[in-house]
Amino acid sequence: MNRREYLKAISILGAGILSAPYLKASEPFLNPELKASMFGSDFLWGAATAAYQIEGARNVDGKGESIWDKFSHTKGKIKTGETGDEACDFYHHFEQDILLMKSMNLKVFRFSISWPRIFPNGTGEINQAGVDFYHKVIDCCIKNGIQPWITLYHWDLPQKLEDKGGWTNREVIKWFTEYADFVTKAYGLKVKNWMVLNEPLSYTAVGYLFGIHAPGHKGLKRFFPAAHHTTICQAEGGRIIRRNVKDANIGTTFSCSYIEGIKNKPKHLKSVKRFDAFVNRLFLEPALGMGYPVNDLPVLKKIEKYMLPGDTEKMKFDFDFIGLQNYTREIVKGNALIPYLHGLPVPAKKRGAEITENGWEVYPEGIYHLLKKYAAYPNMPKIIITENGAAFEDTVEDGKIQDIKRTDFLKKYLEQVLKAKNEGVNVGGYFCWSFMDNFEWAEGFKPRFGLVHIDFKTQQRIVKDSGLWYKDFLGK
Ligand code: IFM
Protein backbone atom coordinates (compact mmCIF):
# COMPACT_ATOMS: atom_id res chain seq x y z
CA MET A 1 0.00 0.00 0.00
CA ASN A 2 1.45 3.35 -0.97
CA ARG A 3 1.23 6.54 1.05
CA ARG A 4 -1.73 7.89 -0.90
CA GLU A 5 -3.76 4.74 -0.39
CA TYR A 6 -2.82 4.74 3.27
CA LEU A 7 -3.98 8.28 3.75
CA LYS A 8 -7.17 7.57 1.88
CA ALA A 9 -7.86 4.53 4.03
CA ILE A 10 -7.28 6.43 7.21
CA SER A 11 -9.33 9.36 6.09
CA ILE A 12 -12.33 7.21 5.34
CA LEU A 13 -13.10 7.17 8.99
CA GLY A 14 -16.51 6.02 8.17
CA ALA A 15 -15.59 2.80 6.46
CA GLY A 16 -14.54 -0.12 7.97
CA ILE A 17 -11.75 -6.50 5.99
CA LEU A 18 -11.42 -8.82 3.68
CA SER A 19 -14.21 -11.28 3.55
CA ALA A 20 -14.76 -12.06 7.21
CA PRO A 21 -17.71 -14.36 7.68
CA TYR A 22 -16.95 -14.69 11.38
CA LEU A 23 -17.82 -11.06 11.99
CA LYS A 24 -21.40 -10.73 13.03
CA ALA A 25 -23.66 -9.21 10.42
CA SER A 26 -26.19 -6.58 11.25
CA GLU A 27 -29.29 -7.90 13.02
CA PRO A 28 -32.64 -7.53 11.26
CA PHE A 29 -35.12 -4.93 12.38
CA LEU A 30 -37.01 -6.60 15.18
CA ASN A 31 -39.83 -4.34 16.21
CA PRO A 32 -42.33 -3.30 13.53
CA GLU A 33 -44.29 -1.36 16.16
CA LEU A 34 -41.43 1.02 17.02
CA LYS A 35 -42.85 4.47 17.86
CA ALA A 36 -41.32 7.66 19.20
CA SER A 37 -43.55 7.42 22.28
CA MET A 38 -41.57 4.32 23.39
CA PHE A 39 -38.60 6.62 24.06
CA GLY A 40 -40.54 8.67 26.65
CA SER A 41 -42.41 11.94 26.41
CA ASP A 42 -39.36 14.13 27.07
CA PHE A 43 -37.21 12.57 24.32
CA LEU A 44 -36.39 15.18 21.66
CA TRP A 45 -36.97 14.44 18.00
CA GLY A 46 -35.73 16.39 15.03
CA ALA A 47 -33.26 16.75 12.23
CA ALA A 48 -29.95 18.50 11.65
CA THR A 49 -28.27 20.62 8.99
CA ALA A 50 -25.23 22.91 8.68
CA ALA A 51 -24.91 26.41 7.26
CA TYR A 52 -22.52 25.80 4.37
CA GLN A 53 -24.32 22.62 3.36
CA ILE A 54 -27.74 24.24 2.94
CA GLU A 55 -27.74 28.03 2.95
CA GLY A 56 -26.29 28.98 -0.41
CA ALA A 57 -26.34 32.81 -0.78
CA ARG A 58 -22.58 32.79 -0.91
CA ASN A 59 -22.09 36.51 -1.60
CA VAL A 60 -25.48 37.78 -0.56
CA ASP A 61 -26.12 40.61 1.93
CA GLY A 62 -22.53 41.17 2.98
CA LYS A 63 -21.45 37.63 3.81
CA GLY A 64 -17.67 37.13 3.87
CA GLU A 65 -15.78 34.28 2.25
CA SER A 66 -15.39 31.02 4.18
CA ILE A 67 -12.71 28.38 3.75
CA TRP A 68 -15.34 26.20 2.05
CA ASP A 69 -16.21 28.97 -0.44
CA LYS A 70 -12.58 29.11 -1.44
CA PHE A 71 -11.92 25.36 -1.31
CA SER A 72 -14.96 24.41 -3.36
CA HIS A 73 -13.92 26.93 -6.00
CA THR A 74 -10.45 25.40 -6.21
CA LYS A 75 -10.16 23.02 -9.15
CA GLY A 76 -10.05 19.34 -8.24
CA LYS A 77 -11.07 19.69 -4.61
CA ILE A 78 -14.71 18.63 -4.94
CA LYS A 79 -15.23 15.27 -6.65
CA THR A 80 -18.13 16.50 -8.75
CA GLY A 81 -16.70 19.97 -9.38
CA GLU A 82 -19.70 21.50 -7.58
CA THR A 83 -19.79 24.27 -4.99
CA GLY A 84 -22.12 25.21 -2.14
CA ASP A 85 -22.79 28.63 -3.73
CA GLU A 86 -26.52 27.87 -3.92
CA ALA A 87 -26.93 24.51 -2.21
CA CYS A 88 -30.56 24.29 -0.97
CA ASP A 89 -30.83 28.08 -0.99
CA PHE A 90 -32.12 27.81 2.57
CA TYR A 91 -31.26 31.50 2.86
CA HIS A 92 -34.32 32.27 0.72
CA HIS A 93 -36.41 29.14 1.49
CA PHE A 94 -36.14 28.90 5.27
CA GLU A 95 -39.78 29.73 5.90
CA GLN A 96 -40.97 27.04 3.53
CA ASP A 97 -38.46 24.55 5.01
CA ILE A 98 -39.46 25.23 8.59
CA LEU A 99 -43.11 24.81 7.66
CA LEU A 100 -42.19 21.51 6.06
CA MET A 101 -40.47 20.47 9.30
CA LYS A 102 -43.62 21.34 11.18
CA SER A 103 -45.73 19.30 8.77
CA MET A 104 -43.36 16.36 9.42
CA ASN A 105 -43.91 16.61 13.20
CA LEU A 106 -40.31 17.63 13.96
CA LYS A 107 -39.94 19.26 17.35
CA VAL A 108 -36.31 20.38 17.23
CA PHE A 109 -34.17 21.73 14.42
CA ARG A 110 -30.37 21.75 14.61
CA PHE A 111 -28.59 24.22 12.35
CA SER A 112 -25.32 26.11 12.45
CA ILE A 113 -24.39 29.75 12.15
CA SER A 114 -22.07 30.77 9.38
CA TRP A 115 -19.26 32.68 11.12
CA PRO A 116 -18.41 34.76 7.99
CA ARG A 117 -22.07 35.73 7.54
CA ILE A 118 -21.83 37.48 10.93
CA PHE A 119 -18.18 38.56 10.82
CA PRO A 120 -17.22 38.85 7.13
CA ASN A 121 -13.58 39.31 8.11
CA GLY A 122 -13.68 36.83 10.95
CA THR A 123 -13.36 39.53 13.63
CA GLY A 124 -14.26 43.19 14.01
CA GLU A 125 -16.97 44.49 11.75
CA ILE A 126 -20.41 42.90 12.10
CA ASN A 127 -22.69 42.19 9.15
CA GLN A 128 -26.11 43.20 10.44
CA ALA A 129 -27.94 41.51 7.55
CA GLY A 130 -26.36 38.22 8.58
CA VAL A 131 -27.37 38.76 12.20
CA ASP A 132 -30.92 39.53 11.07
CA PHE A 133 -31.08 36.40 8.94
CA TYR A 134 -30.60 34.07 11.93
CA HIS A 135 -33.09 36.12 13.97
CA LYS A 136 -35.62 35.42 11.23
CA VAL A 137 -34.78 31.69 11.18
CA ILE A 138 -35.03 31.46 14.96
CA ASP A 139 -38.29 33.43 15.09
CA CYS A 140 -39.78 31.27 12.37
CA CYS A 141 -38.84 28.09 14.27
CA ILE A 142 -40.35 29.40 17.49
CA LYS A 143 -43.51 30.59 15.79
CA ASN A 144 -43.99 27.10 14.36
CA GLY A 145 -43.37 25.30 17.63
CA ILE A 146 -39.92 24.05 16.66
CA GLN A 147 -37.08 24.47 19.14
CA PRO A 148 -33.92 25.87 17.56
CA TRP A 149 -30.65 24.08 18.45
CA ILE A 150 -27.63 26.03 17.29
CA THR A 151 -24.11 24.81 16.49
CA LEU A 152 -21.59 27.62 16.72
CA TYR A 153 -19.05 26.09 14.37
CA HIS A 154 -19.74 23.59 11.62
CA TRP A 155 -16.54 23.96 9.57
CA ASP A 156 -16.98 27.26 7.68
CA LEU A 157 -14.12 29.31 9.11
CA PRO A 158 -13.81 32.82 7.66
CA GLN A 159 -11.14 32.68 4.93
CA LYS A 160 -9.58 35.89 6.30
CA LEU A 161 -8.72 33.97 9.46
CA GLU A 162 -7.38 30.99 7.52
CA ASP A 163 -5.08 33.46 5.75
CA LYS A 164 -3.54 34.04 9.17
CA GLY A 165 -3.17 30.32 9.90
CA GLY A 166 -6.73 29.47 10.84
CA TRP A 167 -7.02 26.77 13.51
CA THR A 168 -3.23 26.37 13.64
CA ASN A 169 -2.79 29.92 14.98
CA ARG A 170 -3.35 30.24 18.73
CA GLU A 171 -4.99 33.60 18.05
CA VAL A 172 -7.99 31.54 16.91
CA ILE A 173 -8.97 31.28 20.57
CA LYS A 174 -9.38 35.03 20.69
CA TRP A 175 -11.21 35.13 17.33
CA PHE A 176 -13.54 32.31 18.32
CA THR A 177 -14.23 33.95 21.68
CA GLU A 178 -15.26 37.17 19.99
CA TYR A 179 -17.57 35.31 17.59
CA ALA A 180 -19.10 33.04 20.24
CA ASP A 181 -19.60 35.95 22.63
CA PHE A 182 -21.37 38.01 20.01
CA VAL A 183 -23.77 35.36 18.74
CA THR A 184 -24.71 33.98 22.15
CA LYS A 185 -25.51 37.51 23.29
CA ALA A 186 -27.42 38.22 20.09
CA TYR A 187 -29.62 35.09 20.20
CA GLY A 188 -29.34 33.91 23.81
CA LEU A 189 -32.67 35.33 24.92
CA LYS A 190 -34.48 33.20 22.34
CA VAL A 191 -32.24 30.15 22.02
CA LYS A 192 -31.37 27.98 25.00
CA ASN A 193 -29.85 24.93 23.28
CA TRP A 194 -26.33 25.35 21.98
CA MET A 195 -23.56 23.13 20.63
CA VAL A 196 -20.07 24.57 20.47
CA LEU A 197 -18.44 22.51 17.71
CA ASN A 198 -19.42 19.98 15.12
CA GLU A 199 -17.11 16.93 14.98
CA PRO A 200 -13.73 18.46 15.82
CA LEU A 201 -11.93 15.37 14.54
CA SER A 202 -13.46 15.73 11.10
CA TYR A 203 -12.39 19.29 10.42
CA THR A 204 -8.97 19.06 12.06
CA ALA A 205 -8.00 15.65 10.63
CA VAL A 206 -9.70 15.76 7.25
CA GLY A 207 -8.94 19.50 6.78
CA TYR A 208 -5.49 19.95 8.37
CA LEU A 209 -3.97 16.42 8.31
CA PHE A 210 -5.26 14.66 5.20
CA GLY A 211 -6.01 17.71 3.06
CA ILE A 212 -9.31 16.34 1.77
CA HIS A 213 -11.51 19.02 3.32
CA ALA A 214 -10.99 22.78 3.55
CA PRO A 215 -8.55 24.33 4.04
CA GLY A 216 -6.75 21.40 2.38
CA HIS A 217 -3.59 21.12 4.49
CA LYS A 218 -1.61 17.94 5.06
CA GLY A 219 0.62 16.77 7.85
CA LEU A 220 0.88 16.31 11.60
CA LYS A 221 2.62 19.66 12.02
CA ARG A 222 -0.58 21.48 11.21
CA PHE A 223 -2.91 18.89 12.71
CA PHE A 224 -1.57 19.11 16.27
CA PRO A 225 -1.89 22.86 16.79
CA ALA A 226 -5.29 22.85 15.03
CA ALA A 227 -6.45 20.04 17.31
CA HIS A 228 -5.17 21.69 20.47
CA HIS A 229 -6.65 25.11 19.74
CA THR A 230 -9.91 23.37 18.87
CA THR A 231 -9.91 21.60 22.26
CA ILE A 232 -9.49 24.90 24.05
CA CYS A 233 -12.19 26.60 21.97
CA GLN A 234 -14.53 23.69 22.65
CA ALA A 235 -14.37 24.38 26.38
CA GLU A 236 -14.09 28.15 26.04
CA GLY A 237 -17.25 28.16 23.90
CA GLY A 238 -19.05 26.30 26.69
CA ARG A 239 -17.94 28.90 29.24
CA ILE A 240 -19.07 31.76 27.02
CA ILE A 241 -22.52 30.25 26.53
CA ARG A 242 -22.83 29.64 30.30
CA ARG A 243 -21.99 33.28 30.94
CA ASN A 244 -24.23 34.79 28.27
CA VAL A 245 -27.29 32.56 28.12
CA LYS A 246 -29.56 32.16 31.08
CA ASP A 247 -30.81 28.58 31.55
CA ALA A 248 -28.67 27.36 28.68
CA ASN A 249 -28.44 23.71 27.70
CA ILE A 250 -24.84 23.39 26.48
CA GLY A 251 -23.27 20.62 24.46
CA THR A 252 -20.72 19.88 21.79
CA THR A 253 -20.67 17.07 19.25
CA PHE A 254 -18.35 14.19 18.35
CA SER A 255 -18.19 11.86 15.38
CA CYS A 256 -17.76 8.33 16.70
CA SER A 257 -17.41 4.90 15.17
CA TYR A 258 -17.61 1.57 16.92
CA ILE A 259 -14.25 -0.09 16.29
CA GLU A 260 -13.45 -3.80 16.28
CA GLY A 261 -10.47 -5.92 15.26
CA ILE A 262 -10.53 -8.22 12.28
CA LYS A 263 -9.77 -11.02 14.72
CA ASN A 264 -9.46 -11.32 18.43
CA LYS A 265 -5.65 -11.25 18.35
CA PRO A 266 -3.34 -8.87 20.24
CA LYS A 267 -1.91 -7.21 17.13
CA HIS A 268 -5.38 -6.25 15.90
CA LEU A 269 -6.65 -5.30 19.33
CA LYS A 270 -3.65 -3.03 19.89
CA SER A 271 -4.52 -1.16 16.73
CA VAL A 272 -8.19 -1.00 17.75
CA LYS A 273 -7.08 0.79 20.92
CA ARG A 274 -5.12 3.34 18.94
CA PHE A 275 -7.95 3.94 16.48
CA ASP A 276 -10.39 4.28 19.32
CA ALA A 277 -8.17 6.89 21.01
CA PHE A 278 -7.96 8.86 17.75
CA VAL A 279 -11.53 8.54 16.53
CA ASN A 280 -13.60 8.42 19.72
CA ARG A 281 -11.57 9.87 22.58
CA LEU A 282 -9.22 12.60 21.36
CA PHE A 283 -11.56 15.55 21.85
CA LEU A 284 -13.99 14.07 24.36
CA GLU A 285 -11.58 13.16 27.15
CA PRO A 286 -9.94 16.58 27.52
CA ALA A 287 -13.41 18.09 27.95
CA LEU A 288 -14.14 15.54 30.69
CA GLY A 289 -10.95 16.61 32.46
CA MET A 290 -8.97 13.49 31.47
CA GLY A 291 -6.46 15.15 29.15
CA TYR A 292 -5.49 13.72 25.76
CA PRO A 293 -5.43 9.89 25.49
CA VAL A 294 -1.65 9.92 25.14
CA ASN A 295 -1.08 6.52 26.78
CA ASP A 296 -3.14 4.73 24.16
CA LEU A 297 -1.93 6.82 21.22
CA PRO A 298 1.67 7.85 21.98
CA VAL A 299 2.06 10.15 18.95
CA LEU A 300 -0.29 12.55 20.75
CA LYS A 301 2.63 13.49 23.00
CA LYS A 302 3.62 15.83 20.18
CA ILE A 303 0.58 17.94 20.93
CA GLU A 304 2.23 18.99 24.18
CA LYS A 305 4.53 21.29 22.19
CA TYR A 306 1.52 23.51 21.58
CA MET A 307 0.29 23.52 25.18
CA LEU A 308 0.88 26.49 27.46
CA PRO A 309 0.81 26.37 31.25
CA GLY A 310 -2.78 26.17 32.43
CA ASP A 311 -4.10 24.67 29.20
CA THR A 312 -5.10 21.32 30.74
CA GLU A 313 -7.45 23.22 32.99
CA LYS A 314 -8.72 25.31 30.07
CA MET A 315 -9.61 22.16 28.09
CA LYS A 316 -12.25 21.11 30.62
CA PHE A 317 -15.87 22.10 30.60
CA ASP A 318 -18.86 20.71 32.38
CA PHE A 319 -21.19 20.18 29.41
CA ASP A 320 -24.90 19.60 29.96
CA PHE A 321 -24.93 17.11 27.13
CA ILE A 322 -22.62 15.37 24.73
CA GLY A 323 -23.67 15.10 21.10
CA LEU A 324 -22.90 11.65 19.74
CA GLN A 325 -22.83 11.33 15.93
CA ASN A 326 -22.63 7.90 14.41
CA TYR A 327 -22.91 6.48 10.93
CA THR A 328 -20.91 3.25 10.82
CA ARG A 329 -18.29 0.99 12.38
CA GLU A 330 -14.63 0.36 11.62
CA ILE A 331 -12.96 -3.02 11.39
CA VAL A 332 -9.25 -2.69 11.89
CA LYS A 333 -6.45 -4.97 10.77
CA GLY A 334 -3.31 -4.58 12.88
CA ASN A 335 0.01 -4.00 11.18
CA ALA A 336 2.99 -2.74 13.19
CA LEU A 337 4.56 -1.27 10.03
CA ILE A 338 1.82 1.32 9.71
CA PRO A 339 2.92 4.45 11.58
CA TYR A 340 1.09 5.70 14.66
CA LEU A 341 -2.14 3.74 14.37
CA HIS A 342 -0.40 0.39 13.78
CA GLY A 343 -3.16 -0.84 11.51
CA LEU A 344 -5.66 0.09 8.84
CA PRO A 345 -9.41 0.04 8.58
CA VAL A 346 -10.63 -2.52 6.06
CA PRO A 347 -13.32 -1.12 3.77
CA ALA A 348 -16.76 -2.56 4.42
CA LYS A 349 -17.24 -3.27 0.72
CA LYS A 350 -14.23 -5.53 0.66
CA ARG A 351 -15.69 -7.75 3.32
CA GLY A 352 -19.09 -7.89 1.68
CA ALA A 353 -20.90 -5.92 4.38
CA GLU A 354 -24.06 -3.94 3.68
CA ILE A 355 -23.00 -0.40 2.80
CA THR A 356 -24.42 3.04 2.10
CA GLU A 357 -23.73 5.05 -1.05
CA ASN A 358 -20.49 6.40 0.36
CA GLY A 359 -19.22 2.96 1.35
CA TRP A 360 -19.96 3.18 5.05
CA GLU A 361 -21.09 -0.02 6.73
CA VAL A 362 -24.67 -0.25 7.90
CA TYR A 363 -24.11 -1.54 11.42
CA PRO A 364 -26.93 -0.51 13.76
CA GLU A 365 -25.49 -2.29 16.80
CA GLY A 366 -22.57 0.12 16.62
CA ILE A 367 -24.67 2.99 17.96
CA TYR A 368 -25.76 0.81 20.89
CA HIS A 369 -22.14 -0.07 21.75
CA LEU A 370 -21.08 3.57 21.49
CA LEU A 371 -23.89 4.72 23.74
CA LYS A 372 -22.86 2.12 26.34
CA LYS A 373 -19.21 3.11 25.99
CA TYR A 374 -19.84 6.81 26.41
CA ALA A 375 -22.29 6.25 29.26
CA ALA A 376 -19.58 4.34 31.14
CA TYR A 377 -17.39 7.46 31.56
CA PRO A 378 -17.58 8.89 35.05
CA ASN A 379 -19.37 12.25 34.95
CA MET A 380 -20.81 11.67 31.48
CA PRO A 381 -23.71 14.08 31.09
CA LYS A 382 -26.83 13.34 29.09
CA ILE A 383 -26.16 12.08 25.56
CA ILE A 384 -28.04 13.35 22.55
CA ILE A 385 -27.70 11.73 19.14
CA THR A 386 -27.01 14.93 17.24
CA GLU A 387 -26.52 13.15 13.88
CA ASN A 388 -27.32 9.76 12.41
CA GLY A 389 -28.47 8.89 8.91
CA ALA A 390 -27.53 7.41 5.58
CA ALA A 391 -26.85 8.33 1.97
CA PHE A 392 -28.49 6.12 -0.63
CA GLU A 393 -29.10 6.84 -4.28
CA ASP A 394 -32.64 8.15 -4.70
CA THR A 395 -34.81 8.14 -7.77
CA VAL A 396 -37.82 10.35 -8.27
CA GLU A 397 -40.71 8.42 -9.81
CA ASP A 398 -44.13 9.98 -10.22
CA GLY A 399 -43.11 12.70 -7.78
CA LYS A 400 -42.17 10.16 -5.09
CA ILE A 401 -38.95 8.85 -3.63
CA GLN A 402 -39.32 5.30 -2.35
CA ASP A 403 -36.16 5.18 -0.25
CA ILE A 404 -36.79 1.92 1.55
CA LYS A 405 -33.13 1.48 2.49
CA ARG A 406 -32.99 4.81 4.33
CA THR A 407 -36.16 4.09 6.27
CA ASP A 408 -34.84 0.67 7.17
CA PHE A 409 -31.54 2.20 8.31
CA LEU A 410 -33.31 4.67 10.57
CA LYS A 411 -35.57 2.03 12.10
CA LYS A 412 -32.68 -0.30 12.83
CA TYR A 413 -30.50 2.40 14.38
CA LEU A 414 -33.38 3.77 16.43
CA GLU A 415 -34.14 0.35 17.75
CA GLN A 416 -30.57 0.14 19.04
CA VAL A 417 -30.87 3.57 20.64
CA LEU A 418 -34.00 2.38 22.41
CA LYS A 419 -32.24 -0.78 23.56
CA ALA A 420 -29.47 1.32 25.15
CA LYS A 421 -32.01 3.67 26.71
CA ASN A 422 -33.97 0.77 28.16
CA GLU A 423 -30.74 -0.51 29.69
CA GLY A 424 -30.29 2.78 31.54
CA VAL A 425 -28.22 4.94 29.18
CA ASN A 426 -29.12 8.58 29.65
CA VAL A 427 -29.88 9.38 26.01
CA GLY A 428 -32.32 12.21 25.52
CA GLY A 429 -32.80 12.99 21.85
CA TYR A 430 -32.27 12.13 18.21
CA PHE A 431 -31.50 14.38 15.25
CA CYS A 432 -31.63 12.71 11.88
CA TRP A 433 -28.89 13.72 9.45
CA SER A 434 -30.18 15.33 7.49
CA PHE A 435 -33.40 17.23 7.16
CA MET A 436 -32.75 17.64 3.45
CA ASP A 437 -30.27 16.58 0.78
CA ASN A 438 -27.36 19.00 0.79
CA PHE A 439 -23.76 19.72 -0.12
CA GLU A 440 -21.79 16.75 1.17
CA TRP A 441 -18.43 18.54 1.37
CA ALA A 442 -15.71 17.08 -0.89
CA GLU A 443 -18.27 14.65 -2.34
CA GLY A 444 -20.45 17.42 -3.78
CA PHE A 445 -24.21 16.87 -4.05
CA LYS A 446 -24.05 13.20 -4.98
CA PRO A 447 -24.53 11.52 -1.61
CA ARG A 448 -28.07 12.33 -0.51
CA PHE A 449 -28.70 12.09 3.22
CA GLY A 450 -32.02 13.94 3.39
CA LEU A 451 -35.48 13.05 4.60
CA VAL A 452 -36.48 15.63 2.02
CA HIS A 453 -35.34 15.41 -1.59
CA ILE A 454 -33.97 18.57 -3.17
CA ASP A 455 -33.92 19.21 -6.88
CA PHE A 456 -30.83 21.43 -6.89
CA LYS A 457 -31.81 22.98 -10.24
CA THR A 458 -35.35 24.02 -9.39
CA GLN A 459 -35.08 24.03 -5.58
CA GLN A 460 -38.21 21.89 -5.45
CA ARG A 461 -38.63 19.97 -2.20
CA ILE A 462 -40.26 16.51 -2.02
CA VAL A 463 -40.63 14.65 1.24
CA LYS A 464 -39.16 11.18 0.68
CA ASP A 465 -40.90 8.05 1.92
CA SER A 466 -38.35 7.97 4.78
CA GLY A 467 -39.51 11.47 5.76
CA LEU A 468 -43.13 10.33 5.64
CA TRP A 469 -42.20 7.32 7.76
CA TYR A 470 -40.40 9.58 10.27
CA LYS A 471 -43.45 11.86 10.42
CA ASP A 472 -45.72 8.91 11.16
CA PHE A 473 -43.21 7.45 13.66
CA LEU A 474 -43.11 10.77 15.53
CA GLY A 475 -46.84 11.33 15.51
CA LYS A 476 -48.39 14.69 16.38
O1 IFM B 1 -22.59 15.89 6.18
C1 IFM B 1 -21.83 15.52 7.28
C2 IFM B 1 -21.99 16.53 8.40
O2 IFM B 1 -21.63 17.81 7.99
C3 IFM B 1 -21.09 16.16 9.57
N1 IFM B 1 -21.31 14.79 9.98
C4 IFM B 1 -21.32 13.76 8.96
C5 IFM B 1 -22.27 14.17 7.83
C6 IFM B 1 -22.29 13.06 6.73
O3 IFM B 1 -21.01 12.91 6.20
Side-chain angles (χ1 to χ4, degrees):
M1 168 167 300
N2 62 36
R3 185 175 152 79
R4 210 168 136 250
E5 287 166 334
Y6 166 63
L7 288 175
K8 193 168 171 221
I10 300 288
S11 72
I12 302 169
L13 292 172
I17 138 180
L18 312 167
S19 210
Y22 45 84
L23 281 170
K24 222 169 89 209
S26 151
E27 277 171 24
F29 172 57
L30 301 172
N31 185 351
E33 301 306 323
L34 192 74
K35 284 278 174 230
S37 54
M38 295 166 136
F39 290 71
S41 56
D42 55 352
F43 199 90
L44 299 164
W45 292 101
T49 60
Y52 186 74
Q53 292 179 273
I54 64 164
E55 282 179 7
R58 177 194 175 203
N59 292 323
V60 175
D61 292 342
K63 178 182 163 292
E65 187 182 35
S66 80
I67 53 174
W68 273 96
D69 291 321
K70 179 157 183 191
F71 191 75
S72 66
H73 278 264
T74 310
K75 208 167 168 242
K77 297 296 182 192
I78 309 298
K79 266 190 195 160
T80 56
E82 294 160 320
T83 72
D85 287 4
E86 270 188 49
C88 313
D89 198 21
F90 179 76
Y91 193 80
H92 297 108
H93 290 76
F94 70 89
E95 281 164 315
Q96 176 189 343
D97 290 335
I98 292 167
L99 280 175
L100 202 54
M101 289 174 206
K102 183 179 180 183
S103 78
M104 291 166 68
N105 299 330
L106 269 57
K107 301 288 181 293
V108 287
F109 171 39
R110 176 180 172 223
F111 59 95
S112 72
I113 293 181
S114 159
W115 184 344
R117 204 178 279 294
I118 305 285
F119 286 93
N121 303 313
T123 62
E125 186 203 338
I126 305 281
N127 175 35
Q128 191 55 43
V131 178
D132 295 345
F133 168 66
Y134 294 107
H135 270 302
K136 284 186 246 165
V137 172
I138 293 165
D139 292 345
C140 186
C141 287
I142 295 171
K143 188 172 124 202
N144 287 292
I146 294 174
Q147 209 178 55
W149 282 54
I150 296 186
T151 314
L152 286 176
Y153 184 73
H154 198 129
W155 309 355
D156 44 356
L157 187 76
Q159 181 59 39
K160 284 263 163 62
L161 301 182
E162 178 54 31
D163 295 341
K164 297 181 196 159
W167 286 98
T168 68
N169 183 343
R170 194 168 169 114
E171 288 282 293
V172 73
I173 303 171
K174 214 171 75 195
W175 305 329
F176 183 73
T177 301
E178 182 184 348
Y179 162 65
D181 187 59
F182 180 83
V183 294
T184 52
K185 279 179 179 154
Y187 308 120
L189 281 176
K190 301 175 183 172
V191 179
K192 299 296 161 193
N193 302 286
W194 293 84
M195 286 141 289
V196 181
L197 304 177
N198 185 71
E199 299 181 358
L201 182 72
S202 307
Y203 71 83
T204 55
V206 191
Y208 285 86
L209 173 59
F210 301 125
I212 295 169
H213 276 191
H217 298 309
K218 292 184 184 161
L220 288 170
K221 271 198 183 140
R222 283 213 170 85
F223 171 66
F224 286 131
H228 182 56
H229 302 145
T230 285
T231 306
I232 301 217
C233 286
Q234 180 174 266
E236 199 50 40
R239 285 185 279 275
I240 291 167
I241 302 167
R242 190 71 83 220
R243 199 172 63 221
N244 290 348
V245 183
K246 193 167 170 267
D247 301 327
N249 183 32
I250 311 169
T252 196
T253 79
F254 302 99
S255 50
C256 342
S257 295
Y258 181 55
I259 301 171
E260 290 183 283
I262 180 168
K263 286 183 185 163
N264 221 2
K265 285 194 172 163
K267 80 166 182 183
H268 305 305
L269 300 181
K270 264 189 200 160
S271 178
V272 166
K273 211 172 214 178
R274 288 181 177 223
F275 267 91
D276 185 47
F278 183 58
V279 175
N280 297 321
R281 300 168 51 198
L282 176 57
F283 292 96
L284 170 69
E285 293 188 1
L288 297 176
M290 301 165 70
Y292 293 115
V294 175
N295 291 343
D296 289 326
L297 186 59
V299 66
L300 291 179
K301 268 205 90 53
K302 295 192 181 180
I303 218 169
E304 286 168 8
K305 185 173 153 195
Y306 303 95
M307 292 178 72
L308 298 182
D311 275 8
T312 309
E313 212 34 53
K314 285 188 186 152
M315 300 184 328
K316 292 188 214 167
F317 182 72
D318 201 5
F319 284 102
D320 300 316
F321 70 92
I322 288 299
L324 188 157
Q325 314 201 153
N326 172 246
Y327 290 87
T328 190
R329 81 164 157 178
E330 304 270 0
I331 299 290
V332 167
K333 189 177 183 187
N335 178 349
L337 297 176
I338 304 288
Y340 315 125
L341 294 169
H342 287 188
L344 287 173
V346 186
K349 196 175 173 189
K350 268 198 173 172
R351 58 188 156 85
E354 188 186 346
I355 53 172
T356 64
E357 196 188 343
N358 38 356
W360 297 348
E361 182 181 2
V362 177
Y363 190 69
E365 295 91 332
I367 203 164
Y368 165 82
H369 293 302
L370 287 163
L371 280 163
K372 298 287 272 195
K373 175 183 165 73
Y374 270 41
Y377 276 100
N379 308 325
M380 176 56 73
K382 180 181 272 203
I383 302 171
I384 306 272
I385 308 293
T386 40
E387 283 185 25
N388 171 242
F392 290 110
E393 216 167 294
D394 294 325
T395 45
V396 185
E397 266 175 60
D398 299 330
K400 288 186 177 159
I401 297 99
Q402 297 184 317
D403 56 337
I404 300 163
K405 285 186 177 168
R406 187 173 292 102
T407 306
D408 204 46
F409 178 101
L410 296 174
K411 287 177 178 174
K412 287 177 175 169
Y413 273 74
L414 282 169
E415 187 169 68
Q416 296 294 324
V417 174
L418 183 60
K419 183 176 165 200
K421 184 169 168 42
N422 288 341
E423 290 176 18
V425 172
N426 185 9
V427 50
Y430 180 91
F431 290 78
C432 179
W433 184 269
S434 174
F435 173 65
M436 55 189 160
D437 296 338
N438 55 51
F439 185 77
E440 179 56 15
W441 308 112
E443 306 290 319
F445 290 105
K446 183 142 191 320
R448 291 177 174 267
F449 280 88
L451 294 168
V452 173
H453 179 273
I454 304 284
D455 179 327
F456 293 104
K457 288 200 181 89
T458 64
Q459 292 299 346
Q460 189 195 10
R461 276 85 167 129
I462 304 174
V463 182
K464 301 180 192 177
D465 280 6
S466 59
L468 295 172
W469 170 80
Y470 196 48
K471 168 184 177 169
D472 185 51
F473 163 84
L474 298 181
K476 269 278 169 213

